[in-house]
Amino acid sequence: MIGSLFFSSFAIQGQTILPTPFKVEKTAGSFRIGNKLTIACASQQQEEANYLIQRLQNNVRIEKANERKADIHLQVAALPNNLGDEAYQLLVSGKQIKVTANTSTGLFYGIQSLLQLLPKEIQAGKSITLAGYRIPGIKVTDSPKYAWRSFMLDSGRQYQRPEFIKRYLDHMAMLKMNVFHWHLTEGQGWRVEIKKYPKLTVIGSKVAEGKEQQGFYTQEEIKDIVAYARKLHITVVPEIDVPGHSEAALTAYPELSCFGEAPKTVMGFSDVLYCGGREETYTFLKNVLDEVCELFPSSYIHLGGDEAPKGKWNKCPDCQGKIEEEGLKNSHELQMYFSSRLANYMKTKNKKVIFWGDVIYQDDFKLPDNVIVHWWNWRGHKDLALKNAIRNGHQVIANTNYYSYLNFPVSPWSNYFADRTFDMRTVYENNPSDIKEPDSLVLGMGCALWTDWYVCEHMVDRRVFPRIFALAEQMWSRGERMPFDAFYRVVKEKYPVLREKGIDIGPGMKDEIEADFSWE
């Protein structure tokens, strides 16, 4: 019902809202925009109103008015049916455009939907007049499927400029995603300034020599990005990966590895880990996390925990001593002890800690109750992490490498062979992360853009768009799913908007791959 109603109402004019709203109804008449546009809101919603004003101020003269006479009325008021904190209702009539929401966040999403009903040039921030434009009558009632809707960017392997990060935050807002998972540390780069340990950036940010692989974010730059995201109702969740994927940090401070060795920079991962046996490691990481928590006010922090081979831990006298001292069985349990110590420390700061699913493959070690499991490795372990996490009472983020890793291209490229490719139909119809009836412990869903094998800035758009529309749909939409061919037609209607925004669109399907869709 939803798809057919939506098409009949708006497809002719290309005025489609994505992700697909829960309920769309066509109403009588249309709203005509005049030579000026008046907006009303309560003082508590002025920030959301300012966002709308900034998006439209180059297209029409904007003035304030009272709520009865305003062309656009933004209000926070209780919606029926207990739709949740992010719900909104958008009503366009001949007299007024009204956006109502339970919270300011819901109001922001209503504004995002309203913007999608405007001409493509205006959606992209171009200076054309709105005078005389008509918005057909519509009533949209909407709320998301998941509370957690994340996009992850790997800034550890490849550094991206702050303005590029902000650009992707804008794209996330358009897609109604609300968590920017920022992967900041890797074997090929440490990207966050830590005042107490300056060598992390003096040395650790420069360990790799490839294009765009050197650089870090100052604390002021991070604060600016976090503030920018907040205005878009996006939470920035940092990832400091431990005990593995830490070669850059251990190059800067080799004394924190098991045998004091300065590791080689690696694209993947190695068995050079933070030493789990020495107290100096825990002191160092707590000090680092103290500064990270000051920079990122999020209630969540990601501490990695994936791909940590225990070869050196098995030989390290300090690690083996810690195993004996704590009554642990082996090096795997040492990692669980390591993870638990950090999670418990974060609990003192009222933080929830996210670990990759590796920590729950063997579920005989009880992790703290503030641990969230990030389910990723469908290729290697199918839904083991999902099942074990739920059985042990941990919330889960569904973000499997098949098929929500957008660095996997549509066609083979570099070290991405045929078995690590997927097109838009595959992710739309066969994504394991797209759970039809999720357990109540499934917090939400994510997608990721890793930058291994030198995915530089100019390559990112073609990997993300258009396939991210399918993922955003799965994160947000609660209603009946459109057939793929119908959905893809709607996505293609968005291409003019994306091009106006300067987005370099890649192929959506394998049969579209031509010279214009090169991955290089």
Side-chain angles (χ1 to χ4, degrees):
M1 179 190 107
I2 296 169
S4 60
L5 177 58
F6 200 81
F7 287 133
S8 65
S9 300
F10 296 102
I12 294 175
Q13 299 187 46
Q15 294 170 314
T16 51
I17 298 173
L18 288 178
T20 306
F22 178 62
K23 186 177 182 181
V24 178
E25 301 168 83
K26 186 177 180 180
T27 61
S30 62
F31 182 84
R32 183 184 183 276
I33 298 174
N35 292 321
K36 67 177 181 178
L37 199 60
T38 56
I39 296 178
C41 71
S43 59
Q44 297 92 326
Q45 281 73 57
Q46 190 61 53
E47 186 167 275
E48 287 69 40
N50 288 343
Y51 174 85
L52 180 60
I53 291 168
Q54 289 168 4
R55 294 292 300 268
L56 300 181
Q57 62 187 358
N58 293 327
N59 312 108
V60 65
R61 181 161 54 93
I62 297 176
E63 297 178 358
K64 291 183 179 180
N66 65 51
E67 62 185 55
R68 285 183 297 176
K69 295 183 178 181
D71 296 320
I72 300 177
H73 181 204
L74 308 175
Q75 67 171 355
V76 169
L79 291 173
N81 302 323
N82 191 29
L83 290 172
D85 289 346
E86 295 178 297
Y88 69 90
Q89 187 176 87
L90 167 62
L91 179 62
V92 179
S93 68
K95 294 182 178 180
Q96 190 178 56
I97 298 170
K98 181 177 285 190
V99 185
T100 307
N102 287 329
T103 65
S104 294
T105 299
L107 197 66
F108 181 79
Y109 293 134
I111 290 170
Q112 291 298 324
S113 291
L114 172 60
L115 289 170
Q116 291 191 51
L117 302 181
L118 300 178
K120 64 181 185 299
E121 296 87 356
I122 290 174
Q123 293 183 53
K126 305 294 184 180
S127 296
I128 67 166
T129 183
L130 260 177
Y133 185 78
R134 287 187 177 274
I135 303 176
I138 184 176
K139 181 180 180 182
V140 178
T141 304
D142 200 11
S143 64
K145 177 179 180 178
Y146 286 128
W148 178 287
R149 305 178 302 279
S150 64
F151 172 75
M152 189 226 76
L153 181 62
D154 173 12
S155 297
R157 291 183 178 89
Q158 295 282 145
Y159 170 82
Q160 301 91 24
R161 296 164 298 143
E163 53 266 35
F164 182 88
I165 302 293
K166 289 182 177 180
R167 177 171 169 257
Y168 262 80
L169 290 169
D170 288 334
H171 299 340
M172 288 177 62
M174 173 184 70
L175 296 163
K176 298 186 175 79
M177 292 183 177
N178 63 352
V179 178
F180 176 49
H181 170 187
W182 201 2
H183 188 80
L184 286 164
T185 68
E186 255 304 333
Q188 295 198 301
W190 180 283
R191 307 297 181 202
V192 53
E193 179 187 24
I194 302 297
K195 302 284 190 182
K196 192 174 183 68
Y197 300 109
K199 288 192 290 185
L200 285 171
T201 47
V202 171
I203 297 173
S205 71
K206 300 176 182 178
V207 296
E209 298 178 353
K211 184 180 179 182
E212 300 177 12
Q213 286 193 290
Q214 298 193 358
F216 67 93
Y217 305 97
T218 67
Q219 293 200 357
E220 289 307 309
E221 286 174 328
I222 289 171
K223 290 175 184 177
D224 180 58
I225 287 168
V226 169
Y228 189 89
R230 186 195 62 77
K231 291 183 179 179
L232 301 175
H233 293 263
I234 293 171
T235 299
V236 183
V237 175
E239 181 179 356
I240 308 299
D241 207 342
V242 295
H245 287 282
S246 301
E247 291 85 358
L250 295 173
T251 300
Y253 293 95
E255 63 272 20
L256 296 173
S257 66
C258 286
F259 299 101
E261 62 180 305
K264 294 180 180 179
T265 178
V266 294
M267 182 60 73
F269 56 93
S270 74
D271 64 354
V272 181
L273 315 178
Y274 285 104
C275 180
R278 293 207 302 273
E279 286 300 307
E280 292 87 345
T281 298
Y282 299 98
T283 299
F284 170 85
L285 290 175
K286 287 178 180 179
N287 289 336
V288 166
L289 293 175
D290 284 347
E291 292 194 36
V292 170
C293 289
E294 287 296 316
L295 293 171
F296 297 93
S298 162
S299 299
Y300 303 87
I301 186 167
H302 204 303
L303 295 181
D306 63 317
E307 297 176 325
K310 308 300 189 301
K312 287 190 167 52
W313 276 16
N314 290 336
K315 299 175 183 177
C316 172
D318 293 306
C319 289
Q320 294 304 306
K322 182 66 73 175
I323 289 171
E324 182 177 355
E325 176 186 335
E326 297 295 333
L328 307 173
K329 295 177 184 176
N330 49 38
S331 292
H332 166 74
E333 287 204 355
L334 178 59
Q335 184 178 347
M336 298 304 98
Y337 165 84
F338 180 105
S339 302
S340 295
R341 275 190 67 169
L342 295 180
N344 283 324
Y345 184 64
M346 289 295 96
K347 190 183 290 189
T348 67
K349 297 177 177 290
N350 297 314
K351 300 276 190 184
K352 292 184 178 181
V353 174
I354 306 167
F355 290 113
W356 296 108
D358 304 46
V359 301
I360 204 77
Y361 294 151
Q362 302 176 41
D363 62 344
D364 53 352
F365 189 102
K366 186 171 178 58
L367 292 164
D369 59 7
N370 64 328
V371 166
I372 296 170
V373 173
H374 202 144
W375 172 38
W376 73 277
N377 197 355
W378 177 263
R379 286 186 84 198
H381 298 277
K382 295 296 188 283
D383 61 353
L384 179 63
L386 173 69
K387 289 179 176 177
N388 284 354
I390 290 173
R391 183 165 59 249
N392 286 275
H394 294 290
Q395 288 185 308
V396 179
I397 299 163
N399 187 176
T400 51
N401 49 12
Y402 279 25
Y403 296 96
S404 60
Y405 276 18
L406 291 164
N407 47 296
F408 285 25
V410 175
S411 62
W413 173 85
S414 185
N415 279 36
Y416 290 93
F417 303 114
D419 67 334
R420 298 178 75 201
T421 64
F422 66 88
D423 63 14
M424 196 160 175
R425 182 185 295 274
T426 303
V427 64
Y428 190 78
E429 296 181 343
N430 298 302
N431 182 12
S433 298
D434 183 27
I435 305 170
K436 289 185 179 179
E437 296 183 6
D439 188 276
S440 61
L441 285 169
V442 178
L443 177 62
M445 181 180 156
C447 59
L449 193 286
W450 299 99
T451 57
D452 48 352
W453 306 112
Y454 311 100
V455 178
C456 298
E457 271 191 19
H458 75 279
M459 302 177 185
V460 171
D461 282 1
R462 301 178 84 77
R463 283 160 172 75
V464 172
F465 290 95
R467 293 179 299 168
I468 196 170
F469 279 102
L471 292 156
E473 185 82 357
Q474 292 166 352
M475 293 178 198
W476 179 275
S477 297
R478 300 193 297 121
E480 179 185 352
R481 192 72 54 80
M482 295 184 216
F484 173 73
D485 290 338
F487 176 74
Y488 196 28
R489 283 197 298 271
V490 176
V491 170
K492 285 185 173 180
E493 290 168 8
K494 294 294 182 184
Y495 282 14
V497 174
L498 302 183
R499 292 190 179 105
E500 289 286 345
K501 287 177 175 286
I503 294 172
D504 187 14
I505 306 166
M509 302 295 293
K510 292 182 183 295
D511 60 7
E512 295 174 347
I513 298 167
E514 298 174 359
D516 287 345
F517 286 126
S518 169
W519 290 108
E520 296 296 337

